[in-house]
Amino acid sequence: MIIGNGANPTSGSNSVALGFTATGGGYGGKNNTAGGNGGSGIVILRYANTYVDAVTTGSPTITNTGGYKTYKFTGTGTFTFGAQPTTSVEALIVAGGGGGSWGSGGSAQPGAGAGGLLYYGSESPKTPNGGAITVTPGEVLTVIVGAGGAGTPSGSFANATAGSSTILKRGNTVLLVAVGGNGGISDS
């Protein structure tokens, strides 16, 4: 599965964690074509499927495979842990990718940066940013998914828009922030 994919995914590098591939910056246009939009961010939370289902808002996609319950948020929502003691949750957080620049000539203009990616968990062989997040029954985590930046329209010499950051919070405390990717720079 490709997450946060910019309009032209043929270049750049991919990162993989929790079975998902993340890319994201918009492509740079050429020959009077607009720059591509950056891909949206995403948040994926996962824990052992021996625990009670979490209560969610925001309509995440929920799967139950490989011994794990996985919640994929593509928009803002909340995640409340069940009464049975879930002790930790793995998290993959991807910010929105930046938009690409418009290109007026024959050579492509700068593409944009992919959104930042953070992985907190124990999946191997990936190197996580840290261990799984400790949680308690009844605790609520808030997910704020960053949007991709807009590509520069044809004929515009403005810089493209950066992607928005993706945030995971516990109450008013920010736990994780993946920073949005930079937008492409105009050559004017």
Side-chain angles (χ1 to χ4, degrees), residues 18 44-48 51 68-69 79 81 86-93 118-124 126-136 139 141 168 170 175-176:
L18 301 183
I44 298 171
L45 301 172
R46 176 175 94 162
Y47 59 87
Y51 299 114
Y68 291 96
K69 287 183 183 151
F79 187 87
F81 294 91
T86 303
T87 57
S88 64
V89 61
E90 293 180 81
L92 174 70
I93 314 261
L118 298 173
Y119 168 58
Y120 283 78
S122 58
E123 187 176 333
S124 173
K126 288 103 188 136
T127 302
N129 296 97
I133 298 167
T134 301
V135 294
T136 57
E139 184 170 29
L141 296 180
L168 182 64
R170 176 184 287 140
L175 298 176
L176 304 173

Side-chain angles (χ1 to χ4, degrees), residues 30-44:
K30 70 177 191 174
N31 295 327
N32 291 317
T33 59
N37 294 329
S40 290
I42 194 165
V43 172
I44 298 171

